[in-house]
Amino acid sequence: MANSANDQEARLAQMRILVEELAGSSRRRRQEVAHKIATVAHTDASMVTPFVGSLMDALERPEAQTRWEVLDALTALVDEHAEEVAPAFEAAETALFDEDSAPVRLAGFVFLCRFGATSEERSDQVWPLLDEAIQCYHGDPEYRDMLVALLAFVQGAASAATKAALAERLKFDAENGASYVKSFSAQIIQACE
């Protein structure tokens, strides 16, 4: 038992060092540690949760990769820690409309979908942003991944009003689209019912 607690402490100490490097002067190192942190967040969110504040601070870094990796890490925490990551909402909104980086836009979209899926109120909060993004990025290379995130969104705790609005938004594509756009849109509409 003592070894287990010591191992946990050692792992948290290593994570603390990584998180501190997010504030370092090396762009390349910030990107590397952001990737490592995102990987850890997906395998053991408890190792990253104590550092949510520092992760949110890292969303202000100039390089796109650090921002999308940190958003990915925060997204991994949403299901169990929605309140703690709620302050990242504004940064996710900014990321959603990043003109220079499709991966940053996608990371913002996925975060907002996951966050919105946690409660009816949050789904209503994120829906206007998701709706605008659907219209802006329809047909872009990341649109398929956006549709995957939307399916998970409606399978969560989205409100009836949000589900109805999303179904209406995707109706044309479900009836007239082609390829993955048509099939995913139809799946999302079915999940909204």
Side-chain angles (χ1 to χ4, degrees):
M1 214 40 138
N3 280 346
S4 177
N6 289 340
D7 290 347
Q8 181 80 355
E9 276 186 42
R11 291 173 60 215
L12 280 171
Q14 290 173 337
M15 182 57 62
R16 184 174 289 106
I17 291 167
L18 287 176
V19 169
E20 288 171 0
E21 290 187 71
L22 285 173
S25 61
S26 169
R27 174 195 58 79
R28 183 171 188 81
R29 184 64 183 152
R30 288 192 307 259
Q31 289 172 287
E32 290 169 355
V33 297
H35 178 74
K36 288 178 183 179
I37 292 167
T39 301
V40 171
H42 284 281
T43 58
D44 185 359
S46 70
M47 296 304 300
V48 179
T49 306
F51 307 105
V52 167
S54 296
L55 293 178
M56 286 193 230
D57 180 59
L59 292 172
E60 300 297 322
R61 300 300 174 265
E63 64 278 355
Q65 184 178 351
T66 298
R67 289 181 282 129
W68 88 61
E69 298 280 13
V70 169
L71 274 169
D72 186 38
L74 291 169
T75 299
L77 304 179
V78 168
D79 292 342
E80 299 296 322
H81 304 281
E83 286 298 320
E84 290 93 329
V85 300
F89 181 92
E90 191 174 312
E93 178 180 0
T94 300
L96 188 60
F97 300 103
D98 186 301
E99 294 182 10
D100 299 321
S101 176
V104 170
R105 289 192 299 269
L106 179 60
F109 189 87
V110 172
F111 175 88
L112 292 170
C113 283
R114 181 78 63 88
F115 184 71
T118 61
S119 76
E120 290 186 2
E121 296 79 19
R122 290 183 186 118
S123 74
D124 293 340
Q125 180 186 12
V126 302
W127 169 244
L129 297 171
L130 299 179
D131 186 33
E132 186 176 356
I134 291 166
Q135 295 172 69
C136 289
Y137 306 122
H138 187 279
D140 284 4
E142 66 271 18
Y143 192 66
R144 182 183 191 288
D145 293 329
M146 292 170 68
L147 290 170
V148 171
L150 283 172
L151 181 58
F153 170 65
V154 298
Q155 291 171 334
S159 72
T162 293
K163 288 179 179 181
L166 176 56
E168 184 61 32
R169 170 62 59 210
L170 297 181
K171 183 179 177 184
F172 181 84
D173 283 344
E175 294 172 355
N176 303 297
S179 183
Y180 72 87
V181 173
K182 181 174 185 164
S183 62
F184 268 115
S185 296
Q187 284 181 329
I188 292 165
I189 289 171
Q190 185 176 10
C192 287
E193 296 171 354

